[in-house]
Amino acid sequence: MSEEAATSPKPAVKDGEMMNDSSKRIPTREKIAYGFGDFGNGFMFDLGQAYLTKFWIDACGIGAGAVAGIFAFTKIFDAFMDPIAGSVIDNRKNIGKRGKFRPVMMISAIILGIMTVVTFTMPSGLTGVQKIIYAYAAYMIWGLVYSFTNDPYGSLASVMSRNSQDRSFMATSRQIGSVGAQFIAGVAFIPLMGLIANGNTGVKEEHGYFWAAAVFAVIGIAMFAVCYFGTKENVKVHRATGKDAEKEGFKDYIKVIFKNGPLGALILMTLFTISAMNTNNQMMVFYAQYNLGNIGLQPVINAIMMGCSIVGVFMIPTLTKHFGQKRTAMWSFVVGAVANMLNYFLPSNVITFIVLVTIGYTALAIPNGITWAMVSNAIDFGEWRSGVRKEAITYAAFNFSRKIAQSLAALVSAGVLALTGYVANATQTPRALNGIKAAMTLYPGLCLIVAAIVIGFLYKLDDKRFGEIADDLDHGRWEGGKIGESKATDKDKN
């Protein structure tokens, strides 16, 4: 299919005529290229999640409590920027041959790379208050640009293919890209930073962060370029034009959240899964340095943990084929919860910690990968329920929960450090060490228990039900009739 066919407005479909054929597969090279987007995204996103806390506290001298406030406020700000980004993208009408989503994604990715370097920059001569203001401003701008990068990227999968196997493949590809970037960031960033600022080069620690972030940002932009040039928007979608085209606004965003049952379950689940994963990533460097007594273990542990996670993610197509998306996700959460809880209650030991944190992280990476396919299915469910397709608004609603979860993770990580008396670059008290361990293991364990309950009881769009919905959409039907024949009514319901 041509890209023009995928994005141009279409009239109502005649009885018996098919707009799409969900049984057809797209080329494997496109599905692999899609995963490079999250690979590039991780080179910029994961740096902030894993290392900004330490950069601001240890390298810049900002207090742990202030850092907790920076993350909490800016992530909430970012969350409310997502409906703006989603509305702007969904309101695009003059769509060219490159499609609706890819151009916005690529331009924003370049700006995101620049802002990633800016966040790991602290101008000299600033007072403590000025440093905090600079950190707030830089990270808020970064978050806004991230919304305009990630919302179109996430929406892109829903118009590349409606085939469930293709979507599982793209979810796997994306999660492999994400975990692969986490692997490289977790293994290489601190050694690269240390190599640049090793005491012999005359480069200060904060400048080491700057140059290491610049290297990662350039690679991230290059990976987005692979995604941009290697993918196409293949699914034919009816898009209203002229008088039928209404601009999306905040009320549409609210409707999407509260009138799409599967999406609502994914949003609630994500609050716990992403806060668990981000807290794990943020606390790893502290746990290695203070609880295990050797910061050099951090890249080693991350290499083992994330390497095994990549292997686990490769199993997603097989697992979902035999057990379905929902059951695979739910039982993975249970396994991850048990591993994390054991890691908290057992005495600190390098071997047992590595084994259990690897099991817990792999068990979380698998359902996080499946989630991307579930979001695309929720986009289709929303179109089937309302007769109107709103990819970017729907994805923005999902992304809202990720931003809130990131804010929650920052509050837990930096907040625990502040409350338990953490002192940068010093010997920690038993209370501080226990706080680091609890944030690293106990908190993720509790989060995954809740996630298992949510996906088990609230997410009701199983594989069989989605197949029925996909067939309707292939034939241009929504719940209330033919797509495009008349304005869809507000018939949405959970």
Side-chain angles (χ1 to χ4, degrees), residues 180-193:
Q182 290 178 33
F183 176 89
I184 295 173
V187 171
F189 185 80
I190 290 294
L192 178 61
M193 183 275 293

Side-chain angles (χ1 to χ4, degrees), residues 87-374:
S87 297
V88 170
I89 296 165
D90 269 343
N91 287 333
R92 290 190 68 217
K93 302 304 177 187
N94 298 321
I95 301 170
K97 65 179 183 178
R98 294 294 180 183
K100 180 177 181 179
F101 302 111
R102 291 187 301 148
V104 180
M105 175 194 73
M106 191 66 240
I107 293 171
S108 298
I110 295 171
I111 302 173
L112 186 67
I114 296 170
M115 287 308 305
T116 297
V117 179
V118 171
T119 59
F120 279 95
T121 303
M122 185 58 66
S124 60
L126 298 183
T127 66
V129 173
Q130 289 171 336
K131 288 180 180 180
I132 294 172
I133 293 173
Y134 177 88
Y136 267 105
Y139 206 47
M140 287 170 70
I141 296 171
W142 184 94
L144 177 60
V145 177
Y146 179 75
S147 293
F148 277 93
T149 306
N150 203 43
D151 284 357
Y153 173 68
S155 302
L156 175 61
S158 70
V159 291
M160 285 180 61
S161 175
R162 190 173 281 142
N163 182 279
S164 60
Q165 290 177 290
D166 280 346
R167 286 186 173 176
S168 289
F169 193 113
M170 284 189 287
T172 301
S173 177
R174 175 174 185 171
Q175 189 66 4
I176 290 172
S178 176
V179 177
Q182 290 178 33
F183 176 89
I184 295 173
V187 171
F189 185 80
I190 290 294
L192 178 61
M193 183 275 293
L195 182 66
I196 296 170
N198 63 5
N200 298 322
T201 61
V203 177
K204 295 181 179 179
E205 183 182 8
E206 58 264 37
H207 295 157
Y209 278 99
F210 170 87
W211 288 110
V215 171
F216 273 69
V218 170
I219 297 173
I221 294 171
M223 297 301 100
F224 263 111
V226 173
C227 177
Y228 173 77
F229 288 110
T231 58
K232 295 180 181 179
E233 300 180 17
N234 299 298
V235 176
K236 296 178 182 178
V237 176
H238 172 81
R239 303 201 186 278
T241 58
K243 294 181 179 180
D244 292 332
E246 294 184 0
K247 286 191 174 183
E248 310 291 353
F250 192 75
K251 65 178 182 179
D252 299 283
Y253 179 78
I254 297 299
K255 285 168 73 173
V256 162
I257 293 176
F258 289 102
K259 296 191 175 183
N260 187 324
L263 178 65
L266 292 177
I267 286 173
L268 183 59
M269 179 195 76
T270 299
L271 289 174
F272 297 98
T273 59
I274 297 302
S275 64
M277 177 169 280
N278 284 1
T279 301
N280 178 293
N281 291 337
Q282 290 171 12
M283 298 307 297
M284 180 63 76
V285 66
F286 293 96
Y287 191 89
Q289 181 173 358
Y290 298 109
N291 292 65
L292 299 180
N294 183 2
I295 194 173
L297 288 172
Q298 184 258 356
V300 176
I301 296 171
N302 277 340
I304 297 171
M305 178 178 75
M306 294 176 184
C308 290
S309 296
I310 294 173
V311 175
V313 170
F314 271 110
M315 297 169 58
I316 289 177
T318 301
L319 291 172
T320 56
K321 181 179 179 180
H322 287 89
F323 304 109
Q325 294 176 352
K326 179 176 176 177
R327 288 179 62 195
T328 302
M330 183 177 67
W331 286 107
S332 295
F333 288 142
V334 172
V335 171
V338 171
N340 277 288
M341 299 291 279
L342 285 174
N343 228 351
Y344 175 73
F345 289 106
L346 291 177
S348 293
N349 175 276
V350 174
I351 301 301
T352 57
F353 173 77
I354 291 176
V355 170
L356 291 172
V357 79
T358 299
I359 294 172
Y361 203 83
T362 302
L364 177 54
I366 291 172
N368 272 353
I370 296 171
T371 299
W372 303 123
M374 290 177 165

Side-chain angles (χ1 to χ4, degrees), residues 81 176 188 410 425:
M81 291 300 101
I176 290 172
N425 303 311

